[in-house]
């Protein structure tokens, strides 16, 4: 590379003709952990996961992890094609409603991504009164507060470690700090995997239907990037990169 400093991109091409690329700094950074995989869990890579070869580019959008790899190429420009230079993975401004009105060449393709999180489980805290509530023998009204426990995941692009997950059951008026569990001790700046979280007591407001609550969560990474409350400022023609608060409605009364 020192002999030709113009080679700033590593291009990938798959057996089915899909083309993508990443910048050379990511590709050859010894701490970037980019690899070409031929096995998964000690066995040959399954076909659905990219047999015979697949590129793994941790911390980047999945589209850069090209399956069924047939060609690697150093180049002075990005890969040519819809997946890299076309509209497919261009995050346009919210003001653009017609992609034909902008020059796509002036906008980078999606590579390193933001911070995301999700709620995977919600249940009532174990107590006699809440047990009766779950069975429908205790009346609750819209606006009442019940305590629930929740768990989920969080992840940030670029290897940025998750430092906090905030959980709310009242639309953001009050927040609970979740405990980070599996994945919380990944190497600094190389946190490629999900982090799991748990929150034992989240006060949640009963919805207008009188039987459900809505939990929301937001992850915070090591650069203190966080998730916006809504997608209003993130809207784009392709619907890409929406990392607004994750929301989950859960019924606390069995009917």
């Amino acid at each position: 590379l020192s002999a030709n400093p113009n080679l700033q991109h590593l291009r990938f091409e798959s057996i089915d003709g899909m083309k993508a690329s990443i910048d050379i700094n990511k590709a050859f950074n010894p701490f970037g952990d980019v690899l070409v995989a031929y096995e998964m869990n000690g066995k040959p890579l399954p076909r659905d996961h990219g047999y015979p070869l697949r590129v793994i580019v941790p911390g980047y959008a999945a589209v850069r992890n090209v399956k069924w790899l047939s060609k690697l190429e150093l180049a002075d420009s990005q890969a040519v094609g819809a997946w890299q230079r076309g509209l497919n993975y261009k995050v346009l401004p919210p003001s653009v409603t017609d992609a034909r009105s902008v020059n796509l060449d002036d906008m980078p393709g999606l590579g390193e991504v933001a911070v995301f999180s999700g709620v995977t489980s919600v249940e009532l805290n174990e107590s006699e009164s809440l047990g009766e509530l779950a069975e429908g023998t205790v009346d609750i009204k819209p606006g009442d507060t019940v305590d629930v426990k929740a768990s989920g995941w969080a992840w940030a692009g670029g290897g940025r470690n998750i430092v906090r997950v905030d959980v709310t059951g009242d639309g953001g008026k009050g927040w609970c700090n979740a405990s980070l569990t599996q994945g919380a001790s990944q190497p600094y700046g190389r946190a490629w995997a999900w982090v799991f979280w748990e929150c034992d007591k989240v006060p949640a407001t009963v919805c207008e239907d009188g039987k459900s609550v809505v939990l929301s969560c937001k992850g915070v990474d090591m650069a203190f990037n966080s998730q916006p409350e809504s997608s209003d400022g993130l809207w784009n023609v392709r619907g890409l990169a929406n990392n607004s608060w994750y929301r989950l409605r859960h019924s606390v009364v069995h009917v």
Side-chain angles (χ1 to χ4, degrees), residues 13 45-47 73 85 93 116 190 238:
E13 184 172 347
L45 197 64
R47 183 182 63 181
E73 178 186 22
R85 302 195 189 193
F116 300 83
R190 297 169 74 184
R238 289 284 291 120

Side-chain angles (χ1 to χ4, degrees), residues 191-213:
W192 310 125
W194 288 356
V195 173
F196 295 99
W197 59 263
E198 298 175 350
C199 206
D200 291 334
K201 187 176 182 180
V202 183
T205 303
V206 179
C207 298
E208 292 184 359
D209 62 7
K211 63 180 181 181
S212 64
V213 296

Side-chain angles (χ1 to χ4, degrees), residues 131-182:
E132 294 172 351
L133 172 61
E135 296 301 323
T137 58
V138 173
D139 291 332
I140 59 170
K141 305 180 299 297
D144 285 351
T145 299
V146 297
D147 287 336
V148 300
K149 56 182 178 180
S151 59
W153 57 271
W155 177 78
R160 298 184 303 277
N161 301 69
I162 294 294
V163 297
R164 196 176 79 234
V165 174
D166 301 321
V167 187
T168 180
D170 59 8
K173 296 177 182 178
W175 292 91
C176 299
N177 184 22
S179 298
L180 304 183
T181 58
Q182 185 178 358

